[in-house]
Amino acid sequence: MNLPAALLDALSQLFPGDAMATGMAERLAYAYDNSRRNALPDAVVFPTTHEQTEALMQACRAHRVPVIGRGRGTNTTGATVPVEGGVVVSFERMNRILRIDPDNRLAVVEPGVLNGDLQQALKPHGFFWPPDPSSSPWCSIGGNLACNSAGPRTVKYGSPRENTLGLRAVAGTGEGFRCGTYTSKGATGYDLTRLLIGSEGTLALITEATLKLTPKPSALRTIRATYRDVSAAARAVARIMAQPVTPCALEFIDDVALKLARDYGGDGVPLAGAMLMIEVDGEPETLPSAVDAVSRAARGEGLEDLRVAETAKETEALWSARKALSPAQRTISPNKINEDVVVPVSRLPELVDGIKQLAKKHDVLIVSFGHAGNGNLHVNLLPRDDAERERSHACLAEIFALVISLEGTLSGEHGIGLVKKEFMPLALQPSTLHLMRNVKAAFDPEGILNPGKLLP
């Protein structure tokens, strides 16, 4: 244990009994996240109130001890790994839905509420919260906000930034504050709510969130389109996004991914040069015309097959390829490198072609799929030995350079964390990074909130 005795005594009083863990087994459980990186914290605490979090922050600031906020550890960038030790603050016990207010289309929740649990609670009211990461059954709202994590529905409904009205938080100074509003319109000062979302716990610890709710559409239709090659599919994405009907999901899967999924999931997965999975939602009387409009845009040079699901069973069958992807990749490479780059939708064909060329140049297996309607591709490098791992890292640097050259950015929903920090100067000019460091210093003058993350 490296914590000062005075701090340890203060934390013991603030977090009695099992509200603080200092044993090796408990600390190991909070040493890593889904990035597979790890570093041992000195202690783990489990606050249940905003006031406890304020007191914790003040005590740690007095002793210059790092504080690392944590949801459920599903992030893939090492954003919750305590690289400098210190105190991990797990919000898993702050898991209450405080208010559901359909009249004002909002919900107030604590950060430990699971995304999936919130969606279930909103169903009887006819609403949903649009952000839907693939980990939604077990990821927390606080984690979604910290990394601005979204999912397929972002193409139509936006990310957490567009679906959050206000926050309550504790800055690195130990001061608690509120930002944002309970209203859908607001023009009062700086927008600290959007600043905190995506800041990966480097500015403040979120203790409460007021979320903007959306009425749940009563009907949904799924379309699956296969193409001769990835370029044809990427061009179809641009056509779909250039017409008036916005799909609620537009997923891209390349040929390598389809083959892997078929090997794992069976003959229900089609073999093709690439595939698009498209979902359109709305009301029953308007849905057929919307499906027709999207289907027309999906048709074009290189289309091989287009199917529209008419039943829930058919929808499940069409999604089989996408669902088989993650377990299929794990059978190939337990050390896969999972990145989520973004380019403008019109540049997607260039990105897809460029990744193919880089995979060939570096002799690395790359599987590409993801939220094509946002230009957000999950680029998965699958090294199988040390030599391939080395080539993968060289390839990755060139992928990021390609993305920036296409007016894109390093991450759409995973965040930066530890993994992409060194590449930030590629994406942001020195003056921008300087301003970000000044913002960090204003919120966290001692630099104790999640040190070593995000900013190079």
Side-chain angles (χ1 to χ4, degrees):
M1 289 287 294
N2 295 317
L3 296 182
L7 175 60
L8 192 57
D9 183 57
L11 293 181
S12 298
Q13 293 181 45
L14 189 57
F15 298 96
D18 68 352
M20 182 169 75
T22 55
M24 179 61 74
E26 295 97 331
R27 290 157 60 207
L28 279 170
Y30 293 86
Y32 63 93
D33 57 24
N34 201 32
S35 69
R36 299 183 303 277
R37 305 217 178 179
N38 67 85
L40 200 64
D42 295 302
V44 184
V45 297
F46 305 92
T48 55
T49 67
H50 173 89
E51 291 72 23
Q52 261 187 319
T53 310
E54 279 190 359
L56 162 74
M57 200 70 240
Q58 290 162 10
C60 288
R61 183 190 182 192
H63 293 275
R64 304 290 199 276
V65 168
V67 177
I68 302 91
R70 181 184 173 96
R72 291 304 176 99
T74 61
N75 73 90
T76 62
T77 65
T80 58
V81 176
V83 289
E84 296 184 18
V87 179
V88 165
V89 187
S90 173
F91 286 101
E92 62 195 88
R93 298 184 189 178
M94 287 184 71
N95 60 357
R96 294 179 301 160
I97 298 173
L98 302 172
R99 174 180 167 195
I100 295 176
D101 185 347
D103 291 352
N104 292 303
R105 295 191 175 188
L106 64 84
V108 181
V109 303
E110 292 181 328
V113 172
L114 299 187
N115 184 300
D117 289 349
L118 175 64
Q119 307 296 359
Q120 288 299 316
L122 295 175
K123 266 185 183 179
H125 301 277
F127 286 86
F128 71 108
W129 191 54
D132 61 330
S134 59
S135 56
S136 60
W138 54 87
C139 66
S140 68
I141 299 297
N144 296 165
L145 296 172
C147 293
N148 197 33
S149 303
R153 285 197 296 239
T154 310
V155 64
K156 182 172 183 178
Y157 295 107
S159 70
R161 277 200 176 105
E162 289 75 49
N163 290 282
T164 304
L165 296 171
L167 299 171
R168 191 181 190 194
V170 180
T173 59
E175 295 172 294
F177 64 97
R178 287 186 180 272
C179 54
T181 64
Y182 290 103
T183 58
S184 59
K185 294 179 75 174
T188 310
Y190 298 126
D191 191 347
L192 299 183
T193 302
R194 289 173 69 92
L195 176 62
L196 292 187
I197 296 171
S199 64
E200 301 183 21
T202 61
L203 302 180
L205 299 176
I206 295 169
T207 59
E208 183 183 294
T210 302
L211 308 176
K212 184 173 77 172
L213 305 182
T214 298
K216 195 168 183 64
S218 57
L220 180 102
R221 197 69 64 80
T222 301
I223 305 163
R224 186 174 80 184
T226 55
Y227 295 86
R228 179 185 62 227
D229 52 43
V230 291
S231 296
R235 289 193 297 272
V237 171
R239 289 196 305 272
I240 291 167
M241 294 309 295
Q243 53 82 50
V245 175
T246 304
C248 63
L250 176 47
E251 300 289 287
F252 169 92
I253 305 175
D254 76 1
D255 53 334
V256 181
L258 285 173
K259 186 176 185 311
L260 279 180
R262 186 181 177 95
D263 290 345
Y264 184 88
D267 295 345
V269 179
L271 284 180
M275 185 174 83
L276 297 181
M277 291 296 303
I278 311 159
E279 285 195 334
V280 182
D281 64 5
E283 299 311 306
E285 59 273 14
T286 60
L287 196 58
S289 62
V291 169
D292 184 57
V294 171
S295 298
R296 282 199 308 272
R299 298 182 190 279
E301 185 186 357
L303 178 73
E304 292 184 341
D305 182 56
L306 188 146
R307 300 185 186 186
V308 181
E310 300 294 338
T311 66
K313 188 175 181 181
E314 288 178 14
T315 296
E316 189 176 339
L318 292 186
W319 275 105
S320 59
R322 185 67 172 85
K323 290 179 178 177
L325 264 179
S326 288
Q329 288 180 89
R330 281 195 292 270
T331 65
I332 298 290
S333 173
N335 298 307
K336 74 170 182 171
I337 301 169
N338 177 17
E339 296 298 344
D340 76 314
V341 296
V342 196
V343 296
V345 172
S346 64
R347 311 299 296 270
L348 196 60
E350 296 168 79
L351 175 63
V352 169
D353 287 341
I355 288 171
K356 284 281 182 190
Q357 292 168 23
L358 289 172
K360 188 174 180 180
K361 173 184 174 181
H362 292 275
D363 190 22
V364 172
L365 182 65
I366 299 181
V367 171
S368 296
F369 60 90
H371 318 312
N374 295 110
N376 181 196
L377 274 197
H378 292 260
V379 181
N380 296 268
L381 294 80
L382 304 179
R384 289 157 290 193
D385 55 40
D386 290 342
E388 287 191 0
R389 263 195 295 278
E390 204 165 310
R391 295 201 302 273
S392 292
H393 287 294
C395 182
L396 185 61
E398 291 194 41
I399 289 172
F400 287 149
L402 170 65
V403 167
I404 299 303
S405 74
L406 296 175
E407 301 178 308
T409 190
L410 299 178
S411 177
E413 57 189 14
H414 291 176
I416 301 299
L418 283 173
V419 175
K420 296 185 189 180
K421 186 177 69 166
E422 65 182 283
F423 298 103
M424 284 285 273
L426 271 180
L428 301 172
Q429 63 189 81
S431 58
T432 304
L433 286 170
H434 178 68
L435 284 170
M436 288 186 175
R437 290 189 185 98
N438 286 344
V439 170
K440 164 76 170 168
F443 276 86
D444 180 24
E446 268 66 59
I448 61 173
L449 271 174
N450 209 8
K453 315 292 171 54
L454 189 62
L455 294 176

